[in-house]
């Protein structure tokens, strides 16, 4: 139920929508719950709605630790 | 634009015109053209194999194929993984009135194209038209016959035993992910390409060069279900290593977005093979000519629990069971 | 750091503690992550994983399903796929659909509203915790904006704090709690401060395998250090105050109400209902939540960690994902279900 | 009451249970039970005949049969009229979710019953489940294989020539009339019984005793359409005597009530045969053992207009053309 | 369009309905357009509605002439 | 009497008259009976059969179909099967159904009403002559009784007298008329008295083969005797005054209006419309009946006996029952259609 995935903002549209990319898949999501979203930001999506921005510094730390990536295309 | 009407299926003049004006010219088979109640022909051998499948995929045009291509590949693949040379196919259509004839033409042409690629002839057909709302566009049944060229080469469940290895012919889950990606409500921008393809060539080359103990194409239910069927029938356990199973990023992405599991996603151009350890190099050599993602993913154990186990990336082990849940859109 | 090292360190810490630990998670997505990654076998003898009542499907009363089934002959029910298989007292939504009920699976309640037409009679089955509540708030906002008069919400949204309090107070003694990372994303770290009062190691966790491992490390260290402050392993997403806009949406459209939780019973303040000013968008879902089907199902004991799924006499024999006898087997995120599907290494 | 659900068609656990719990025990074929991707078996001869048909009849239970019986008889009959001995059949199901499993069981049992009567084995199968509203209850495809016992006995369109006579194996139009009689709005009290039946026995006896130049079973489009197809393919004219064509009172009644023409009503257990004059007595002797209404109805002329003419009761002559119109309910 | 068939009245029901028989086929029809219908009467049916009674004397005369029958079951 | 004798006698009479006769029927069921029984070949050289504008489908304007097609996206159209294939200016009802239009074929408009539910939006396509008009009157009565507010009638019912007058006055010279037995059943022998003024042999006929033969005998005798009174061959059914109850029903619900007849044009009093007091049950079907698609179709000439179907340049080449270019080919009771399907003996 509380599934989420991290995605990169590719394009921002009117009506609080954004095109995001995750592992090469592009999809429109709703960004009404976030403020100051910019292209290139990483955001966390739950049921089609962005519920938070992802702190890239923190994410990179994890990445360094495990060699895992948030987004294979970044 | 022209549409299918109920009269195209009443067995009368318009059925006759559809068959003679659309199906026969495209399929072009001499046997089919005779248009008798049965199609009669000579077989190359008395040992034959038969398989049947109905295809109900929605949407009927998808990235990488359509229901026509799928209906030919699906049946060709069932024959091929059984170790047979696919020879003949029948095609039976159930069409909803109002179906665009142009679309039907595309589908039928695509069947012909892939029948040619697979080297099979379409020898018999049937068309029924049902009223609007009684079926969802178009359903196709194909039934295929293959002949057995060398009996001792036939893969068989009895040949499976502990110590053998399990190979997959390419990355998994593309067809299922493709169909999900077409769901308009999901709003995925670029659709994922289906893996739908005929497997008879690669399999034929394999059969001629190595001993394939058993094969199964991955369709509905995906890799997990196919492996479970094998474990059940062969009364063995199968161990799969999570890290080795090839899954494309796109398929992974779709799984994360929808909460799906790639092991259960359908493929329509992939198979698993059980082979002896010593054949591994040769087998992979051949497979990789057709698909670079082909690789070893696990092994057989004689423990007879009839289970499939997954060794996880973190070193845990868990059951990999059959599919229990509804995968929502229609995929084959 | 390699995951192997991390696992070694966790086990090492547990050895230092000198006994196996009981760790509970209360989010179904965590349940699945643990079992899918095989952590239940990897930490066998070290950690005993308990899946608490954190799957919104598992805790839903069958009366809610019954009412949706009833309504589906006239209204189109939009639901997440998760709810489809939950048995009501006679039928699940999936069975209702097979018998002609109008049921539609949605991916997003916000996108779904965008595709609605003017006169469609639609009910959104609003289930979920605070992660999902903002989505339904947005959805309701769009319904109001579009002036759709025939769209209603069957609100059965839940909150996490009250049931968690009840669980820790009345039902269970655990060593560590893995707190739900996506609920925390919305409500913030501070909303979990109350857990500290229970003197239990707790950590807000992400959902990747390494997130779980880092959280287990945090729990074992906290136990060693007798440190019972709430930790946040999921820092890349979860903020102290959560998502203020999202919380604002929840407050604008919903208010606290008492809610039924399978295994825990009726919990005051455990649910969200649509505020009175928007009641025209709410459909009456009243059902008798004191009555439950008589059953040998021991879900309640599983959810509160009293027994493991395989200790239930029905498990695997008569209770399977295909014919579930209880909610924990129904939901793909239920603990009996996860145990059934991902199981134990070599036998059960 | 249990119903089919989408999971019965997802290829996973429940599909497996449906196949192993319902289909295999009833069909009972050893070949089918192996459950491989293809069913492999040995044929008695290398010359084989194949036919395929999808069945979409509504209602699926009708007086005198059901869609299961029909799906077996239809395919058996296509093989039989081609002069083949029906041997193997595949069965592919498309089922709407919500379909009562009890009804499915009845249908599958009825397939087995008529497969046994016709002496054919069901060797391969497939099941797809589509969501509510995506098909109308149940559709069945059967594909059949027959072997040729004596090549020189095979009926063939080339054997037709002027002077030969046309025989019908029984009264016409029962199946079509049966389906109309089930239409609830029409409100016919007692339904008309379908003629649905396997024809392979009577045909086998005929083939062994007389030379059958050509045969065709009467299905969609009825007698008129079958005769027109023959006239077209053989480039001959066919003359039919109205007074000789056997039509039961009930079928006549339904035609008058609905303004239909019995020549176009479907049969599912009748065929026409073209034979040489000298074989008439022997042929009718055999046919009448199975159906007293069997009789000569007309003759072949070499005039090559490719037309069917009807000599009316009053002595007029008119064209009997193919079916041009929609016969409303679904009949096969 | 103006198709009709002659049928024998087998049973009369409320609401101006009758069960009729024609060549062995039984069917309910509407008899609201006729008065004094009795069991055994022959009536002419058009689109499910009886539009007239059939004069049996006249019908028998025709029958005598052509050996045709109005109803094979009479 | 044997039919062979009867045929011989008719031919003998015609030989006495000394020329071949033009005989017209104005009922589609007669058309079909003549062709199905092969009378067109049996009397070749003796009788030239003309099919007048008596098939209600053949005479219907395409504007009526267009309007039904349009309405079928919102309303369920109940129609006799006969109307399904008639092409409108872009689509037939059958094509509309294939594209999602709600079209239902009915057997009886009275039975159909009995199965209707309360809120169904239904339009009855009311076509036909006086034979069928009472059925729609009964149907309308039932709709009123059941209080169905969403059921309407698209009334395009026709009368037989005015078009027949127009035909005989302006279009055609024939020796004999076979008058429609079932229309006469309703309206009575007396309603056809006006035919006598045209000095043509006429007879009300049944529909069996022997009925047609008896009628032809009557016509030939009348010609020989120069007797132009209307005869009634269909005595077993048709009464002097017709069916008084049925006529009463027509009068209660319908009134005369002018109507369009393909081949004859607009005929004052040639149609029936729903009376004003019941207008809530009538749906507006107004269409421009002065406009017709440009076409080489010579239907009008066929219907008025000026040419035979095979003299139309489109016949069989481009105009067939599958792609009809005119109404006479569309209807199974149309003369081009009957000629196409039942044809002539040996070639056409
Ligand atoms: S196994 Fe089934 S019956 Fe037992 S506790 Fe779990 S859900 Fe309930
Ligand atoms: S043949 Fe066709 S085009 Fe010619 S008059 Fe008849 S209906 Fe019109
Ligand atoms: Mg994730
Ligand atoms: Mg046939
Ligand atoms: Mg198959
Ligand atoms: Mg297959
Ligand atoms: Mg066929
Ligand atoms: Mg397969
Ligand atoms: Mg066939
Ligand atoms: Mg057939
Ligand atoms: Mg299959
Ligand atoms: Mg009659």
């Amino acid at each position: 139920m509380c599934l989420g995935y991290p995605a990169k903002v590719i394009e921002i549209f009117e009506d609080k929508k954004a095109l995001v990319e995750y592992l090469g898949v592009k999809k429109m999501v709703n960004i009404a719950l976030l403020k100051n979203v910019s292209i290139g930001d990483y955001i966390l999506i739950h049921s089609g709605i962005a519920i938070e921005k992802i702190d890239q510094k923190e994410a990179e730390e994890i990445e360094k630790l495990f060699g895992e990536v948030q987004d294979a295309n970044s | 634009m022209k549409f299918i009407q109920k009269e195209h299926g009443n067995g009368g003049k318009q059925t006759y015109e559809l068959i003679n004006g659309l199906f026969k010219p495209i399929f072009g088979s001499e046997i089919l053209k005779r248009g008798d109640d049965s199609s009669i022909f000579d077989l190359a051998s008395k040992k034959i194999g038969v398989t049947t499948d109905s295809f109900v995929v929605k949407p009927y045009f998808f990235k990488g194929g359509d229901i026509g291509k799928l209906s030919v590949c699906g049946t060709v693949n069932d024959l091929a993984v059984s170790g047979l040379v696919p020879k003949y196919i029948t095609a039976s259509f159930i069409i909803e009135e109002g179906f665009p004839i142009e679309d039907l033409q595309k589908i039928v042409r695509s069947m012909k194209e892939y029948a040619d690629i697979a080297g099979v002839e379409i020898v018999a057909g049937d068309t029924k038209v049902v009223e609007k709302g009684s079926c969802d566009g178009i359903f196709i049944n194909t039934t295929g016959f293959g002949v057995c060229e060398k009996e001792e080469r036939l893969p068989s469940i009895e040949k499976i035993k502990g110590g053998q290895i399990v190979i997959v012919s390419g990355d998994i889950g593309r067809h299922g992910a493709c169909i999900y990606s077409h769901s308009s409500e999901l709003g995925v921008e670029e659709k994922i390409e289906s893996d739908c393809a005929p497997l008879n060539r690669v399999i034929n080359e394999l059969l001629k060069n190595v001993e394939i103990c058993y094969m199964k194409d991955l369709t509905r239910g995906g890799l997990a279900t196919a492996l479970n069927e094998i474990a059940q029938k062969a009364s063995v356990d199968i161990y799969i290593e999570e890290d080795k199973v090839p899954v494309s990023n796109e398929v992974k992405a779709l799984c994360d977005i929808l909460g799906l599991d790639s092991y259960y996603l359908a493929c329509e151009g992939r198979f698993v093979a059980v082979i002896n350890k010593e054949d591994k190099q040769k087998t992979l050599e051949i497979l990789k000519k057709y698909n670079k993602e082909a690789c070893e993913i696990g092994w057989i154990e004689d423990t007879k629990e009839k289970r499939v186990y997954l060794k996880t990336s973190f070193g845990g082990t868990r059951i990999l069971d059959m599919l229990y849940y509804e995968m929502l859109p229609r995929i084959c | 750091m390699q995951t192997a090292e991390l696992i070694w360190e966790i086990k090492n810490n547990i050895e230092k503690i000198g006994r196996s630990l009981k760790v509970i998670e209360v989010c179904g997505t965590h349940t699945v992550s643990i079992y899918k990654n095989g952590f239940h076998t990897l930490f066998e003898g070290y950690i005993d994983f308990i899946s608490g009542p954190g799957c919104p499907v598992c805790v839903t009363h069958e009366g809610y399903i019954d009412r949706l089934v009833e309504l589906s002959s006239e209204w189109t029910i939009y639901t997440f796929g998760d709810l489809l298989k939950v048995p009501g007292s006679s039928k699940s939504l999936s069975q209702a659909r097979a018998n002609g009920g109008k049921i539609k699976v949605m991916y997003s309640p916000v996108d779904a509203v965008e595709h609605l037409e003017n006169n469609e009679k639609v009910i959104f089955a609003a289930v979920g915790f605070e992660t999902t509540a903002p989505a339904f708030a947005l959805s309701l906002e769009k319904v109001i904006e579009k002036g759709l008069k025939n769209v209603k919400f069957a609100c059965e949204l839940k909150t996490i704090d009250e049931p968690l309090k009840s669980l820790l107070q009345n039902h269970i003694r655990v060593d560590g709690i893995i707190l739900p990372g996506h609920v925390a994303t919305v409500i913030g770290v501070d909303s979990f401060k109350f857990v500290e009062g229970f003197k239990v190691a707790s950590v807000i966790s992400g959902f990747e395998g390494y997130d779980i491992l880092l959280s287990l490390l945090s729990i074992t260290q906290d136990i060693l250090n007798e440190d019972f402050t709430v930790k946040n392993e999921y820092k890349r997403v979860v903020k102290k105050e959560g998502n203020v806009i999202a919380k604002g949406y929840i407050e604008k459209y919903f208010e606290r109400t008492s809610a039924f939780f399978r295994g825990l019973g009726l919990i005051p303040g455990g649910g969200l209902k649509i505020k009175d000013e928007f009641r025209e968008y709410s459909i009456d879902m009243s059902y008798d939540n004191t009555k439950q089907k008589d059953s040998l199902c021991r879900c309640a004991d599983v959810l509160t960690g009293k027994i493991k799924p395989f200790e239930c006499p029905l498990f695997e024999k008569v209770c399977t994902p295909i014919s579930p006898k209880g909610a924990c087997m129904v939901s793909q995120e239920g603990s009996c279900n996860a145990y059934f599907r991902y199981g134990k290494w070599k036998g059960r």
Side-chain angles (χ1 to χ4, degrees), chain A residues 34-70:
Chain A
L34 304 183
K35 52 186 168 194
N36 307 327
V37 178
S38 316
I39 288 172
D41 281 356
Y42 283 80
I43 57 181
L44 181 74
I45 319 295
H46 165 76
S47 70
I49 295 145
I51 57 170
E52 194 51 275
K53 286 207 245 181
I54 296 171
D55 183 325
Q56 266 320 94
K57 233 182 54 208
E58 291 285 345
E60 275 158 28
E61 228 162 86
I62 291 272
E63 208 178 311
K64 245 180 281 164
L65 271 174
F66 299 98
E68 288 258 354
V69 284
Q70 283 292 313

Side-chain angles (χ1 to χ4, degrees), chain C residues 181-208:
Chain C
H182 290 153
V183 171
T185 305
V186 172
I187 66 176
V189 178
D190 288 351
S191 304
F192 287 99
K193 283 287 173 200
F194 71 88
V195 176
E196 297 174 356
F198 293 97
K199 305 271 176 237
V200 57
S202 69
V203 57
I204 293 166
S205 175
F207 300 88
E208 301 297 333

